[in-house]
């Protein structure tokens, strides 16, 4: 099962697609989705635009993916509900907060046990509402 199988489902609130061998995530139209777990898949890079239209999303987990890069296309809008982003156990080498700038309400960021070797010069400037940062391990 992949996110493509679930487009336009207004009844989903919590969706776990962990360990489904997902390689690519597409845009979804799930207006009531609050919790999306895509952990332990095969996602190596991701365009964060695919989550902007998830207007109720509060928690997003990409933990345990071989994630090496993430980006956001310009002028795609803002996501105003995400509170927690889990990027733990990923393979990001250099962290940049710039792709997270459309997530205006992000408060908790988990980067624990990832492969981060450096944080770019902007640091966490693009996530001004960040309250909790986990970088253990």
């Amino acid at each position: 099962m992949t996110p493509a199988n679930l487009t336009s489902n207004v009844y989903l609130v919590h969706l776990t697609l962990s360990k489904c061998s997902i390689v690519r995530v597409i845009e979804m139209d799930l207006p009531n989705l609050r919790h999306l777990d895509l952990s332990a898949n095969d996602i190596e890079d991701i365009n964060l635009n695919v989550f902007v239209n998830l207007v109720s999303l509060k928690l997003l987990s990409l933990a345990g993916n071989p994630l090496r890069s993430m980006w956001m296309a310009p002028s795609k809008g803002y996501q105003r509900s995400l509170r927690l982003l889990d990027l733990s156990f990923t393979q990001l080498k250099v962290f940049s907060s710039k792709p997270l700038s459309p997530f205006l309400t992000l408060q908790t960021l988990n980067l624990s046990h990832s492969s981060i070797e450096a944080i770019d010069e902007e640091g966490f400037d693009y996530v001004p509402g960040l309250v909790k940062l986990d970088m253990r391990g």
Side-chain angles (χ1 to χ4, degrees), residues 39-97:
S39 63
N41 280 291
D42 298 318
I43 303 167
E44 291 185 13
D45 54 36
I46 192 158
N47 180 347
L48 295 176
N49 287 339
V50 300
F51 305 113
V52 170
N53 291 330
L54 299 176
V55 296
S56 299
L57 190 65
K58 299 209 179 305
L59 185 148
L60 172 61
S61 178
L62 295 169
N65 280 285
L67 190 64
R68 290 186 180 92
S69 67
M70 56 184 185
W71 71 94
M72 176 69 79
S75 68
K76 190 64 176 162
Y78 294 98
Q79 205 284 354
R80 301 176 192 278
S81 62
L82 190 68
R83 301 277 190 266
L84 187 149
L85 177 59
D86 187 352
L87 296 172
S88 62
F89 296 94
T90 61
Q91 295 178 13
L92 290 170
K93 296 287 185 203
V94 177
F95 176 79
S96 172
S97 65

Side-chain angles (χ1 to χ4, degrees), residues 6-129:
L6 304 163
T7 57
S8 301
N9 188 322
V10 297
Y11 300 107
L12 278 177
V13 174
H14 183 110
L15 176 60
T16 299
L17 292 172
S18 182
K19 299 180 185 176
C20 290
S21 301
I22 296 171
V23 175
R24 187 173 72 89
V25 181
I26 62 164
E27 281 191 51
M28 296 171 270
D29 184 19
L30 303 168
N32 294 310
L33 190 66
R34 290 190 175 94
H35 180 173
L36 178 58
D37 182 354
L38 295 170
S39 63
N41 280 291
D42 298 318
I43 303 167
E44 291 185 13
D45 54 36
I46 192 158
N47 180 347
L48 295 176
N49 287 339
V50 300
F51 305 113
V52 170
N53 291 330
L54 299 176
V55 296
S56 299
L57 190 65
K58 299 209 179 305
L59 185 148
L60 172 61
S61 178
L62 295 169
N65 280 285
L67 190 64
R68 290 186 180 92
S69 67
M70 56 184 185
W71 71 94
M72 176 69 79
S75 68
K76 190 64 176 162
Y78 294 98
Q79 205 284 354
R80 301 176 192 278
S81 62
L82 190 68
R83 301 277 190 266
L84 187 149
L85 177 59
D86 187 352
L87 296 172
S88 62
F89 296 94
T90 61
Q91 295 178 13
L92 290 170
K93 296 287 185 203
V94 177
F95 176 79
S96 172
S97 65
K98 193 169 188 173
L100 304 178
S101 63
F103 301 101
L104 300 174
T105 55
L106 187 64
Q107 296 176 341
T108 302
L109 179 60
N110 186 348
L111 298 171
S112 66
H113 306 285
S114 59
S115 300
I116 294 176
E117 297 172 354
I119 297 173
D120 74 3
E121 63 274 358
E122 283 113 5
F124 297 91
D125 291 348
Y126 290 97
V127 283

